[in-house]
Amino acid sequence: MHQDKDKWLGTLLIVASAFAYSLSGYFTRLVDHDVWTILFWRGIFGGVFLGAYIAWRHRRDLLGSVRAMGWPGLWVTILSATATICFINALRLTPVADVMTIHAAIPFMTAVLALVIAGEKEDWTTWAASIAALAGVAIIVNPQAPAGHLAGYAFAVGMALSYAAVMVVIRKNRHVSMLPAACLSAFLCTFVALPFASPAHVTTTSLFNLFLFGTVQFGLGLLLMTTGTRLISATRSALIGSMENPLAPLWVWLAFSEQPSLSAWIGGSIVMAAVITDVLVKSARKRNPAGDIEQMPPAPQPSR
């Protein structure tokens, strides 16, 4: 009975995390300020939120939790900040549906980087899903699109590769909590954005929306995901968490009438089908492991 309650709670937390994460495009469209100002305030609010939680969670061993990350923690901090900067820029320059389609392919980019960097091999189903996801991403990228959209695609790819690299580092050092690195990456975004931002020109309404962007979408989304994945299987967590990808363009469509293009519908459907199929096949193999080598569970999602 207690285990069933944990599964229900874990499922609820991951669903809530997916909803929180999916608000990225909505807040990026809602706040009428330049990207660097958004990154500045989002980093401050998100960093303070996570820093307060980490200070409460570790109490007297706060410095010890930071030192325990070592050099891998530094790489996670830098790569996560790079991914966040690319992500917000991509959302500003390119339709949200296109960005989230590329975002949905991150698990497969991770598989490629894990093979190249760490020699970690995946089974044939993951590689088949990776090829399908790559085809889905290729469908949405229009070489004749305006220069701004092409730059957005480049930022989206940079975001996905940075997140994938973060996952590889986390996998290789999964015995250490990288939550402090997520907090530091938020402050690093603020530091990088400061020379280009205009933080004093933000209105009270925009500041409140940026507060929600940093605390609810980023900070709370990360905490809900981290807590939920401890209560349910990694496979189930990955499957539920993929809700973020179709939800993000949905909110922007409803709030700002930004309707996804036909290519985004087709490409996004292919990528989501690849993600869901890969997760379900691995789940079935775990229930019937005869003849199969158990695969490493998905790494925790990095900060966004």
Side-chain angles (χ1 to χ4, degrees):
M1 182 66 71
H2 184 268
Q3 189 175 21
D4 290 338
K5 288 183 178 179
D6 282 349
K7 287 183 179 180
W8 275 106
L9 177 59
T11 299
L12 182 62
L13 291 173
I14 297 299
V15 168
S17 172
F19 270 86
Y21 275 146
S22 70
L23 294 172
S24 54
Y26 170 78
F27 280 116
T28 304
R29 294 288 186 273
L30 181 65
V31 179
D32 189 20
H33 289 280
D34 62 275
V35 169
W36 298 109
T37 300
I38 292 174
L39 285 166
F40 176 88
W41 284 112
R42 181 182 183 269
I44 286 181
F45 290 129
V48 169
F49 181 91
L50 285 175
Y53 173 79
I54 294 169
W56 171 80
R57 179 72 175 79
H58 294 280
R59 293 180 177 86
R60 298 179 181 177
D61 196 30
L62 179 59
L63 293 179
S65 67
V66 176
R67 286 196 299 266
M69 297 187 301
W71 286 105
L74 178 62
W75 277 112
V76 169
T77 298
I78 295 172
L79 289 169
S80 184
T82 301
T84 299
I85 293 171
C86 289
F87 190 34
I88 301 301
N89 275 281
L91 289 172
R92 267 299 173 88
L93 295 171
T94 310
V96 173
D98 294 5
V99 176
M100 297 313 296
T101 298
I102 297 174
H103 182 278
I106 289 176
F108 307 122
M109 294 186 183
T110 304
V112 174
L113 288 183
L115 175 63
V116 174
I117 297 174
E120 179 184 319
K121 297 181 179 180
E122 291 283 357
D123 56 25
W124 69 269
T125 56
T126 295
W127 290 115
S130 300
I131 295 173
L134 181 62
V137 170
I139 287 174
I140 72 162
V141 178
N142 179 11
Q144 298 179 343
H149 281 201
L150 293 177
Y153 292 142
F155 276 120
V157 172
M159 167 269 298
L161 289 174
S162 297
Y163 280 146
V166 168
M167 288 187 182
V168 173
V169 175
I170 291 176
R171 281 183 175 182
K172 289 178 65 67
N173 301 273
R174 54 190 178 276
H175 59 285
V176 179
S177 172
M178 291 295 175
L179 194 57
C183 174
L184 293 174
S185 74
F187 287 122
L188 180 57
C189 286
T190 295
F191 178 77
V192 172
L194 180 58
F196 315 103
S198 302
H201 296 161
V202 175
T203 64
T204 302
T205 301
S206 294
L207 192 63
F208 177 72
N209 290 328
L210 288 166
F211 168 78
L212 294 178
F213 197 2
T215 57
V216 176
Q217 187 275 331
F218 172 53
L220 185 60
L222 180 61
L223 290 182
L224 289 170
M225 182 274 298
T226 302
T227 305
T229 50
R230 291 174 177 162
L231 300 176
I232 61 177
S233 69
T235 302
R236 185 176 179 84
S237 174
L239 179 60
I240 298 172
S242 66
M243 290 172 53
E244 172 194 355
N245 298 300
L247 283 176
L250 174 63
W251 305 141
V252 177
W253 184 9
L254 294 176
F256 305 102
S257 300
E258 184 181 297
Q259 186 172 355
S261 63
L262 178 60
S263 61
W265 281 113
I266 296 174
S269 298
I270 292 174
V271 174
M272 286 304 302
V275 172
I276 293 172
T277 300
D278 184 52
V279 171
L280 291 179
V281 168
K282 287 184 177 180
S283 179
R285 286 181 174 177
K286 286 184 177 181
R287 290 195 299 268
N288 184 24
D292 287 310
I293 299 175
E294 185 177 353
Q295 299 294 318
M296 181 182 296
Q301 293 290 321
S303 60
R304 292 168 168 79

